[in-house]
Amino acid sequence: MEVDVADIKRHNSFTSPNIRRAPISKRVGRERCHSYNAQDSKKPGSRLQPTKMSFRVVRSSKFRHVYGQALKREQCYDNIRVSKSSWDSTFCAVNPKFLAIIVESAGGGAFIVLPHNKVGRIPADHPLVGGHKGPVLDIAWCPHNDNVIASGSEDCVVKVWQIPDGGLSRTLTEPVVDLVYHQRRVGLVLWHPTAQNVLLTAGSDNQIAIWNVGTGEVLISLDCHPDLIYSACWNWTGSKLLTTCRDKKIRIIDPRKGEVESEAIAHEGSKASRAIFLKHGLVFTTGFSRMSERQYSLRTPDALNEPIVTVEIDTSNGVMFPLYDPDTNLIYLCGKGDSVIRYFEVTPEPPFVHYINTFQTPDPQRGIGMMPKRGCDVATCEIAKFYRLNNSGLCQVISMTVPRKSELFQEDLYPDTLSDEASLTADEWLAGEDAEPCTMSLKERALLVQGGYVAGRSTTLTVTKRNALATPRDRERDKEPERSPTPAARDAPPAAATPPPAFTAMVEKQLSDLVEEIRKLKSVIVKQENRIRALEATVKAGLAPPAPSPPAPSPPSPPNNHDDAMAPDEV
């Protein structure tokens, strides 16, 4: 389409001083979407006739009409004292079983854990998870165990908690394991996407520690950042690590070697930036320009210095958190203090990052959490679900839906998604092995629970595996290896349960002792019954009872047929 510059200048949005000019990206979109056709405006009464007819093909995408809808207030969570910490964190973590929110707590740090069916107004005395001596800064659910959550705090300690099915009935203060390494506050906790029980923590001491939570030991420590670490993200297989730092640089690190493979300046602004790995290896970053305008950019790992796309969004002060859905290649930008959620689609065609739409709410958001795809409702074509924390204490649930008329399972919207099974053990990953994440089909393994579809395995998931957060004392007592079962071993049919020989011998001895004791009791009962009958016969005959004689030796044990001679109520 040909655009006349003179006609563009005549448009009031470009000439009126009272109207604020839109950002560059929006102006370009406006130029593409509106027709500024040449016309002869000098002749009075002349009809406006376009000089050229143009055809513009609309980009084809199944997500062009994705819309967000907030659930009713009675279906949300109210009366939550959200943390007032100034740390740039989402303050919220969610999985198909529970919702966890960092809250204000006197005398230390705590967070609340709610089952998804406990909606409405939350009582002020609801049980908390409170064992930290300082405010909690970040929380993260384990992707391979829906009952396990990790928390980092200002007390320099990382704690891993076991949440019982159904939620908490009393305040939980005893963690499964304490991870002590950092010398300053811990503001970032991140689980490994493929290896079981591998947890990354980053503190204000500029250190990164990678833990084996099953043993409570530090596997790797990284000291390659000169300043505060803002964010960290694993790639799709968990072989590389992407970090952002206060020195304005993003770094791609090989965590097992401890080497920085590449680094570059992400954004010129001094405020906090974020970076994530996309599924196919690209790097998406958010940050601020030198003029404090919020930006996002798309880069390739081998050319971090040369972004493919850099777009300015607005001039707000809130840090933008990119939330990524690898199944649909959608990125949701949620800024702290914003009242909107913008979402984009990443494609191989220019301009590579396509703006789709904006979800608008009247209240600014304090934090936000994104539900894994296992917890979305496939019956309503829900592709994402967000939990927004407002300053008023309301946790608002927002559903992102693709409009479809059919009620059948939409296979194009729901490819195989991440499951709750681990591909590797911690030892295998540390030895240098890499593997794709385990996936599952929402059509075959979905089970309707509380309006959302979760894997049937997760509804009965309990921490019974030896590698699932067993303490060193438990391993010494059990004398069993820590190695977790592989997915093939988990899928194999269980072997027949056979008790050990020592246990069988002990049970047989107890049974024989019990039978012998019962036989003796029956013998005493028969002897006393015979004596009572003899005394009754003597009294009836009017004779004095004979003088007591020394006790005679007890008669031999009667045979088993004496049981039939006893009265029915004697036993």
Side-chain angles (χ1 to χ4, degrees):
M1 178 175 61
E2 297 183 2
V3 180
D4 191 349
V5 178
D7 291 325
I8 295 179
K9 291 181 180 179
R10 283 200 299 269
H11 197 274
N12 61 353
S13 63
F14 290 88
T15 58
S16 176
N18 298 325
I19 299 179
R20 184 180 177 182
R21 297 186 65 181
I24 297 174
S25 59
K26 291 186 177 180
R27 294 203 301 270
V28 172
R30 185 180 300 159
E31 294 170 14
R32 291 176 178 175
C33 296
H34 294 278
S35 297
Y36 300 95
N37 298 309
Q39 52 193 354
D40 188 5
S41 58
K42 296 181 180 179
K43 295 181 180 180
S46 62
R47 295 187 62 183
L48 301 179
Q49 297 291 339
T51 57
K52 293 183 180 181
M53 181 171 292
S54 61
F55 295 95
R56 181 171 180 268
V57 178
V58 179
R59 186 180 66 91
S60 176
S61 173
K62 62 175 74 73
F63 304 112
R64 288 182 59 247
H65 302 290
V66 172
Y67 68 96
Q69 184 175 10
L71 273 61
K72 297 181 180 178
R73 194 178 185 94
E74 54 268 20
Q75 296 176 316
C76 300
Y77 309 85
D78 203 355
N79 194 32
I80 298 175
R81 303 187 306 273
V82 183
S83 174
K84 297 180 181 179
S85 173
S86 60
W87 182 253
D88 290 327
S89 173
T90 58
F91 294 149
C92 180
V94 62
N95 68 9
K97 274 191 177 183
F98 301 106
L99 166 67
I101 302 172
I102 302 176
V103 297
E104 283 290 318
S105 177
F111 58 94
I112 188 171
V113 176
L114 301 171
H116 289 297
N117 57 0
K118 191 174 180 60
V119 295
R121 188 175 181 84
I122 307 301
D125 58 347
H126 191 277
L128 303 175
V129 180
H132 287 284
K133 297 180 181 179
V136 177
L137 300 180
D138 195 19
I139 52 178
W141 288 103
C142 178
H144 308 129
N145 193 327
D146 289 341
N147 295 76
V148 174
I149 187 171
S151 59
S153 170
E154 286 191 3
D155 60 4
C156 310
V157 179
V158 178
K159 295 179 182 290
V160 181
W161 310 85
Q162 172 74 33
I163 307 300
D165 289 332
L168 298 175
S169 58
R170 59 184 180 86
T171 298
L172 183 62
T173 58
E174 292 296 329
V176 178
V177 61
D178 286 336
L179 307 178
V180 181
Y181 173 80
H182 295 280
Q183 301 299 317
R184 299 185 65 183
R185 63 180 183 177
V186 180
L188 177 64
V189 292
L190 180 67
W191 292 91
H192 196 277
T194 60
Q196 191 170 33
N197 292 339
V198 175
L199 178 68
L200 179 145
T201 62
S204 297
D205 53 0
N206 308 335
Q207 300 282 331
I208 290 180
I210 301 177
W211 304 79
N212 182 354
V213 180
T215 61
E217 301 172 350
V218 177
L219 298 178
I220 301 169
S221 61
L222 302 176
D223 186 11
C224 53
H225 295 84
D227 211 329
L228 181 65
I229 302 168
Y230 284 140
S231 70
C233 180
W234 298 99
N235 66 346
W236 181 247
T237 59
S239 59
K240 305 296 180 183
L241 186 63
L242 177 67
T243 63
T244 60
C245 184
R246 185 180 281 175
D247 63 354
K248 304 179 185 180
K249 289 186 178 181
I250 55 175
R251 293 173 173 85
I252 296 180
I253 305 171
D254 188 335
R256 287 169 289 204
K257 296 180 180 178
E259 299 175 355
V260 178
E261 295 186 347
S262 60
E263 62 180 20
I265 298 292
H267 299 274
E268 295 291 340
S270 59
K271 297 180 182 179
S273 59
R274 293 287 186 275
I276 59 174
F277 263 123
L278 303 187
K279 182 177 181 179
H280 301 293
L282 295 179
V283 174
F284 185 88
T285 66
T286 62
F288 294 82
S289 67
R290 188 172 297 176
M291 304 301 293
S292 295
E293 296 177 326
R294 294 199 295 187
Q295 299 175 328
Y296 70 80
S297 67
L298 187 68
R299 307 163 189 259
T300 57
D302 53 353
L304 290 179
N305 286 317
E306 301 175 358
I308 303 174
V309 176
T310 300
V311 178
E312 295 179 355
I313 300 178
D314 54 21
T315 57
S316 178
N317 294 325
V319 177
M320 286 192 300
F321 299 100
L323 303 178
Y324 176 57
D325 181 5
D327 298 336
T328 59
N329 273 328
L330 293 181
I331 298 177
Y332 303 85
L333 295 185
C334 312
K336 181 169 287 189
D338 290 357
S339 58
V340 298
I341 299 177
R342 301 178 178 89
Y343 41 105
F344 304 80
E345 183 180 4
V346 180
T347 63
E349 302 84 16
F352 306 106
V353 181
H354 303 270
Y355 169 76
I356 297 179
N357 206 342
T358 299
F359 174 77
Q360 181 79 38
T361 58
D363 301 321
Q365 57 201 14
R366 179 107 181 110
I368 195 165
M370 183 178 181
M371 171 74 78
K373 190 60 67 70
R374 294 184 290 119
C376 293
D377 186 1
V378 301
T380 59
C381 297
E382 182 183 68
I383 60 172
K385 184 183 290 186
F386 296 95
Y387 292 75
R388 291 181 68 254
L389 305 180
N390 297 338
N391 292 325
S392 61
L394 174 68
C395 179
Q396 189 179 28
V397 184
I398 298 172
S399 174
M400 295 290 180
T401 306
V402 177
R404 293 283 176 92
K405 293 183 179 180
S406 175
E407 296 181 358
L408 300 177
F409 181 79
Q410 306 294 316
E411 296 184 359
D412 60 330
L413 298 181
Y414 300 101
D416 289 352
T417 188
L418 296 175
S419 70
D420 57 353
E421 295 185 6
S423 304
L424 300 171
T425 64
D427 296 335
E428 291 173 346
W429 177 80
L430 186 62
E433 296 186 28
D434 293 324
E436 293 282 328
C438 293
T439 58
M440 56 173 286
S441 172
L442 292 177
K443 181 178 181 180
E444 298 175 356
R445 301 184 56 186
L447 181 65
L448 183 61
V449 175
Q450 300 298 334
Y453 279 74
V454 299
R457 178 175 172 270
S458 66
T459 58
T460 57
L461 182 62
T462 56
V463 181
T464 57
K465 307 169 186 175
R466 290 289 175 259
N467 66 341
L469 310 177
T471 61
R473 183 180 303 174
D474 294 336
R475 290 195 299 274
E476 290 178 2
R477 181 187 61 210
D478 296 336
K479 297 296 182 181
E480 293 187 10
E482 300 177 20
R483 184 181 178 88
S484 65
T486 60
R490 285 194 294 264
D491 296 337
T498 57
F503 177 78
T504 304
M506 181 181 64
V507 171
E508 290 180 353
K509 184 177 182 303
Q510 291 179 352
L511 290 176
S512 62
D513 293 343
L514 185 61
V515 171
E516 181 65 20
E517 190 69 24
I518 293 175
R519 189 187 64 78
K520 290 181 179 179
L521 287 175
K522 287 184 177 181
S523 176
V524 173
I525 291 173
V526 171
K527 182 180 67 173
Q528 295 297 333
E529 179 66 21
N530 293 337
R531 182 172 175 274
I532 291 172
R533 288 176 181 174
L535 291 174
E536 289 177 351
T538 304
V539 171
K540 288 181 181 180
L543 301 175
S549 58
S554 59
S557 301
N560 292 336
N561 56 6
H562 282 200
D563 298 345
D564 299 335
M566 292 188 295
D569 58 347
E570 290 176 353
V571 177

